[in-house]
Amino acid sequence: MITLTLNKLKLELTLYRESNEKSKITSARVSILSALHLLQGSLDFEKGGEITNNLYRIYEYIKECVSDTAQKDDQKIKICIQIVSEIVEAWEQIG
């Protein structure tokens, strides 16, 4: 379920980055925030240690990047996509 959510997050970040239509941007933003909520809710701070704290901070950074409704920063979104891609690869290696 985590890998599916991460892949969905990556897809929605890409759609968010590439879209110029307000309705598509809003839809992607809602999906991104929902995926991040699910991912953050799945973190086990007692067992996960530093990795859990780092993932939490990464998810917060992505939230900040898509929450700025005034301006969509293409470079920041590219970085978010890259980070999520690396997390997906790590999960696939574990699973």
Side-chain angles (χ1 to χ4, degrees):
M1 173 137 143
I2 298 299
T3 305
L4 289 173
T5 305
L6 286 165
N7 280 316
K8 175 71 172 169
L9 176 59
K10 186 172 134 181
L11 172 68
E12 293 297 335
L13 282 165
T14 302
L15 293 173
Y16 176 82
R17 180 176 167 253
E18 294 175 354
S19 183
N20 292 322
E21 293 179 41
K22 187 173 182 174
S23 63
K24 289 183 180 181
I25 292 169
T26 301
S27 177
R29 182 182 293 121
V30 168
S31 294
I32 290 165
L33 294 175
S34 294
L36 290 169
H37 179 75
L38 180 69
L39 291 166
Q40 285 181 314
S42 71
L43 295 173
D44 186 340
F45 289 94
E46 290 181 21
K47 295 180 183 176
E50 186 178 347
I51 292 172
T52 300
N53 290 322
N54 290 340
L55 285 170
Y56 184 84
R57 286 194 293 272
I58 289 167
Y59 299 152
E60 284 297 306
Y61 175 76
I62 296 170
K63 276 187 196 178
E64 288 176 26
C65 290
V66 300
S67 293
D68 183 7
T69 57
Q71 184 175 358
K72 189 168 60 166
D73 187 326
D74 189 61
Q75 188 60 32
K76 285 184 179 180
I77 301 304
K78 283 170 98 173
I79 292 168
C80 291
I81 294 167
Q82 181 60 40
I83 292 169
V84 172
S85 295
E86 291 173 14
I87 296 171
V88 168
E89 287 178 30
W91 268 102
E92 288 172 348
Q93 289 177 4
I94 293 169

